Amino acid sequence: MSSRHPDETSEWLQGRVDSWVETYKKAMLTPVVLRHILNNEPITVAELAIQVQRTTGWRLTEHGLYRTIRRLEDAALIATKDVPAPRTGARRKELTLSQLGKSFLAGIEENIIDLHEENAPPLE
């Protein structure tokens, strides 16, 4: 019999980890997006998608990213502006952080726990 298939405990554990990671991604998407907007404003939606993937490895669907942007705009955390794209003149959205968004992001960042402490003992 081959040991290529994970045992029941490993499958259960992987399922729990995967579930936690999905919850984490949903919770962290807002501060990740706000931080990228602040660091690169004004930033287009396409540039934002690239930045998020580059720094997190997360692949966002266009629909999911626009839904997040719409939610942040409705909450007055970001401002959007339609601007003409270079060469084509097509309209694209540029994003900036509002003062409320900056305060909100600062509040979140003050409460994020860094689990990568240099003196923490390694897990066994």
Side-chain angles (χ1 to χ4, degrees):
M1 185 162 256
S2 171
S3 63
R4 290 184 187 183
H5 298 289
D7 63 25
E8 216 173 287
T9 302
S10 296
E11 285 183 17
W12 175 86
L13 179 60
Q14 189 59 53
R16 298 266 126 247
V17 169
D18 292 347
S19 175
W20 183 88
V21 168
E22 285 306 309
T23 300
Y24 172 78
K25 285 180 182 179
K26 288 176 185 174
M28 286 303 296
L29 184 57
T30 293
V32 166
V33 165
L34 294 176
R35 172 50 59 192
H36 280 297
I37 292 171
L38 180 61
N39 289 350
N40 301 287
E41 63 185 353
I43 187 171
T44 65
V45 175
E47 293 166 338
L48 178 61
I50 291 167
Q51 289 292 325
V52 169
Q53 183 178 358
R54 185 180 59 76
T55 59
T56 65
W58 303 341
R59 289 191 184 271
L60 303 176
T61 65
E62 186 176 326
H63 177 72
L65 185 55
Y66 273 101
R67 187 175 56 233
T68 297
I69 289 167
R70 191 170 37 254
R71 181 176 45 79
L72 296 174
E73 186 177 23
D74 289 347
L77 300 177
I78 65 171
T80 62
K81 179 178 166 185
D82 287 331
V83 297
R87 293 187 300 259
T88 65
R91 306 300 282 176
R92 50 165 64 163
K93 283 192 182 296
E94 277 188 347
L95 313 171
T96 56
L97 216 56
S98 67
Q99 189 56 49
L100 181 63
K102 291 174 185 175
S103 297
F104 182 74
L105 179 60
I108 290 173
E109 289 179 342
E110 286 174 7
N111 289 285
I112 291 178
I113 298 168
D114 183 4
L115 296 176
H116 291 97
E117 293 182 34
E118 295 194 23
N119 298 324
L123 295 175
E124 293 183 22

